[in-house]
Amino acid sequence: MKLQVKFSLYNAITKIAIILVLGAIILFSLDRLAYNQFDNRLIKKKNKIIKHLNDDEIDSLLNKQQSFTDYNILKEEFIVLTDIPDNQKDSTAKVFTEKREIEGDIEVYRILNYKFSYHTNWYNLEIGETMTALQSIKNSIRFYMLIVLVAALLITLVTDFTFSNFLLKPFYQIIDKKINLVDDPSHYNYQNIPTTTNDFKILDNSINSLMRKINTLFALEKQFIANVSHELLTPISILSTRFENMLNTPGIPVEHENKIYASLKTLNRLKVIINSLLLISKVENNQYLKTEEISLKREIDDIYEDLEDRIVDKNISYNANLSKDFHFTGNKALIHTLLINIINNAIKYNVVGGSITITDKTEAEKYIISISDTGSGMSMALVENAFDRFKRGNTEENGFGLGLAIVQSIARFHKIEVDIKSEEHKGTSISLFFSK
């Protein structure tokens, strides 16, 4: 989950929690306030009734209906006076909430109950007020709180997401431009990303400083490889010539002849490695031109002619089914090297009687050519490091682990994306993505 989304969710959750807590406090406070108001009003009414009570009023209340001696037309309040036995003790007023039925309608009332004596008789006075209005108000408050909560949630999500997007935009630009899109330290752009956040400025400057060190080391490494390779090729050529001359010497013993052949073989291996490193170094130093019109179909056909003998020797079924003849501008020799390295690996690591299939397709403004084999394949760990120099998936075959490193260098030079899919004992598929 992106940092921006996490920020938005965190802010939204904290604000919702605050709204819920405040809403609960408000509802609880409203309850307490409403009950206090009800109780005070009932006590005042009780005091007023007791104060103005006389014989006529008592007779009037006692002679009305049995259950509810007096109530208003809206059934919002009632007064009940009943005669009770005279052996009562003086009591204080009690207030409670209870359901009462008035003419078939059941309502919740706040009721004050008070027992008192008038002259020599005891009476029970009940004064009630309906709580329907209070419940209605509470329900209305809950409803509007829910609306406010949902509205606050939506508003806070949108505003937080927009603000975090604005706040973190420089951070994502630094990650993309300074890390993700950098395929070569020598092409790194040291221009700072505009931002007013000091933390991002520090991050930007730190990455620039780190890339300067990496770029220096990278340049030194390339220069070292180029220089060493050049310096080694000359003595290797001299040694090869001397060994070849020694082989032409009449009467040379067979034992010496075998040792000279072995030495020549070692020198040739060393020469191949140095030439491969030189090729990578020159490609990475942009020492080649990209001005030739290249036909991929023609290159594939030429490579098949070059490798046909090896394909037949291993009894491999070769299928090149290209739907179109894709053309682009580049360096023909390098592209030939790129393709021959991939197809050569497909032959080298294939099983006897296996197959090589070359297909193409167009997808999302890309022309994709895939070269698949039914060979030994590679593990996930090897696939992740497939482009590393001197990494080899199969040590039983001859090779130096530079083939795919050369492929990657040439692909980067031509801005071609490379994707490898491989499964052990099932085969490998390498796809090249060309921009149209």
Side-chain angles (χ1 to χ4, degrees):
M1 186 181 289
K2 293 182 74 174
L3 184 62
Q4 178 185 356
V5 178
K6 285 186 176 181
F7 269 136
S8 302
L9 287 177
Y10 171 76
N11 287 332
I13 290 170
T14 52
K15 287 175 183 175
I16 289 169
I18 291 171
I19 291 172
L20 286 175
V21 171
L22 289 177
I25 292 172
I26 290 170
L27 284 177
F28 178 76
S29 301
L30 280 176
D31 261 0
R32 298 308 308 165
L33 285 172
Y35 279 118
N36 286 337
Q37 286 292 324
F38 268 104
D39 295 350
N40 290 333
R41 196 159 60 234
L42 290 172
I43 290 171
K44 285 180 182 177
K45 284 183 180 178
K46 184 263 295 180
N47 293 337
K48 190 175 179 181
I49 291 170
I50 296 298
K51 184 178 179 181
H52 296 94
L53 200 62
N54 53 44
D55 293 337
D56 293 337
E57 187 72 21
I58 290 175
D59 290 339
S60 172
L61 291 171
L62 290 175
N63 291 329
K64 289 187 177 177
Q65 297 180 13
Q66 291 181 354
S67 300
F68 295 92
T69 306
D70 187 24
Y71 56 89
N72 67 356
I73 192 167
L74 297 176
K75 304 172 188 175
E76 291 179 343
E77 61 180 23
F78 67 85
I79 299 172
V80 177
L81 184 67
T82 53
D83 193 3
I84 58 176
D86 295 337
N87 57 351
Q88 302 293 326
K89 294 180 180 179
D90 192 15
S91 64
T92 57
K94 296 177 182 176
V95 182
F96 53 89
T97 303
E98 189 175 270
K99 286 183 179 178
R100 289 289 174 93
E101 182 177 356
I102 299 177
E103 295 182 350
D105 294 332
I106 298 175
E107 299 279 349
V108 178
Y109 287 91
R110 189 70 173 168
I111 301 170
L112 182 142
N113 183 285
Y114 180 63
K115 295 174 183 176
F116 65 96
S117 65
Y118 184 76
H119 299 310
T120 58
N121 293 327
W122 278 82
Y123 299 96
N124 184 48
L125 175 65
E126 281 193 338
I127 305 171
E129 281 195 28
T130 181
M131 297 185 67
T132 304
L134 176 64
Q135 290 296 337
S136 176
I137 292 170
K138 285 168 64 177
N139 290 336
S140 297
I141 291 174
R142 287 196 187 100
F143 175 71
Y144 285 114
M145 275 194 63
L146 181 63
I147 292 176
V148 170
L149 183 66
V150 173
L153 175 63
L154 293 176
I155 292 170
T156 195
L157 274 174
V158 172
T159 54
D160 288 347
F161 189 82
T162 305
F163 178 71
S164 59
N165 182 46
F166 169 75
L167 185 69
L168 294 175
K169 188 177 180 182
F171 173 75
Y172 290 120
Q173 285 180 334
I174 290 170
I175 297 297
D176 280 341
K177 293 183 179 178
K178 299 296 180 75
I179 297 177
N180 291 341
L181 299 180
V182 177
D183 57 353
D184 190 334
S186 60
H187 300 153
Y188 182 77
N189 184 0
Y190 290 95
Q191 186 176 2
N192 286 106
I193 301 296
T195 176
T196 56
T197 307
N198 289 334
D199 302 85
F200 296 154
K201 287 180 181 177
I202 293 171
L203 176 65
D204 197 358
N205 291 329
S206 300
I207 293 175
N208 283 345
S209 175
L210 182 64
M211 289 304 296
R212 282 192 184 90
K213 294 176 184 175
I214 293 174
N215 196 17
T216 303
L217 293 173
F218 189 67
L220 287 173
E221 181 192 353
K222 288 197 294 185
Q223 190 63 42
F224 174 78
I225 292 172
N227 292 340
V228 168
S229 301
H230 273 298
E231 294 299 325
L232 286 176
L233 278 178
T234 303
I236 287 172
S237 297
I238 294 172
L239 283 173
S240 294
T241 305
R242 285 181 180 175
F243 282 134
E244 286 168 1
N245 289 336
M246 289 171 69
L247 285 174
N248 293 328
T249 304
I252 186 171
V254 176
E255 292 177 358
H256 292 179
E257 190 176 357
N258 290 337
K259 289 180 180 178
I260 292 171
Y261 274 125
S263 300
L264 277 172
K265 188 177 179 182
T266 303
L267 283 174
N268 283 331
R269 287 166 59 90
L270 189 58
K271 193 174 179 180
V272 170
I273 292 173
I274 291 171
N275 282 331
S276 297
L277 291 174
L278 263 178
L279 175 63
I280 294 172
S281 178
K282 286 180 178 179
V283 172
E284 290 178 346
N285 285 324
N286 299 321
Q287 292 178 315
Y288 289 95
L289 296 175
K290 293 185 286 186
T291 56
E292 297 169 289
E293 182 75 10
I294 301 171
S295 163
L296 272 181
K297 192 171 187 302
R298 189 176 304 163
E299 291 300 322
I300 295 289
D301 291 341
D302 290 344
I303 290 168
Y304 174 72
E305 291 177 4
D306 294 342
L307 301 175
E308 185 178 6
D309 291 341
R310 294 190 57 203
I311 293 170
V312 172
D313 286 345
K314 220 165 178 178
N315 194 25
I316 292 172
S317 170
Y318 182 88
N319 301 299
N321 302 314
L322 299 183
S323 61
K324 63 186 292 186
D325 186 10
F326 182 73
H327 287 249
F328 70 103
T329 303
N331 186 294
K332 190 178 287 186
L334 290 180
I335 293 298
H336 188 87
T337 303
L338 181 151
L339 292 171
I340 204 169
N341 273 346
I342 296 175
I343 297 174
N344 192 41
N345 278 350
I347 299 169
K348 186 190 296 182
Y349 299 112
N350 215 326
V351 295
V352 176
S355 66
I356 296 173
T357 305
I358 303 174
T359 57
D360 68 335
K361 63 180 178 180
T362 302
E363 191 174 278
E365 300 300 319
K366 296 275 187 183
Y367 175 74
I368 306 167
I369 183 168
S370 300
I371 300 166
S372 307
D373 64 66
T374 55
S376 55
M378 292 183 285
S379 64
M380 287 295 292
L382 281 173
V383 170
E384 290 176 1
N385 302 309
F387 296 117
D388 291 352
R389 297 173 192 177
F390 302 108
K391 283 278 184 180
R392 296 180 56 198
N394 189 340
T395 55
E396 295 175 0
E397 296 290 341
N398 293 326
F400 311 109
L402 290 170
L404 287 179
I406 293 172
V407 167
Q408 187 191 40
S409 296
I410 296 173
R412 281 181 176 171
F413 182 67
H414 287 86
K415 300 189 185 309
I416 302 168
E417 297 173 32
V418 184
D419 180 58
I420 299 180
K421 289 185 173 57
S422 186
E423 194 172 345
E424 285 185 292
H425 311 300
K426 289 191 176 179
T428 301
S429 177
I430 297 181
S431 298
L432 303 172
F433 296 74
F434 296 83
S435 297
K436 295 181 70 177

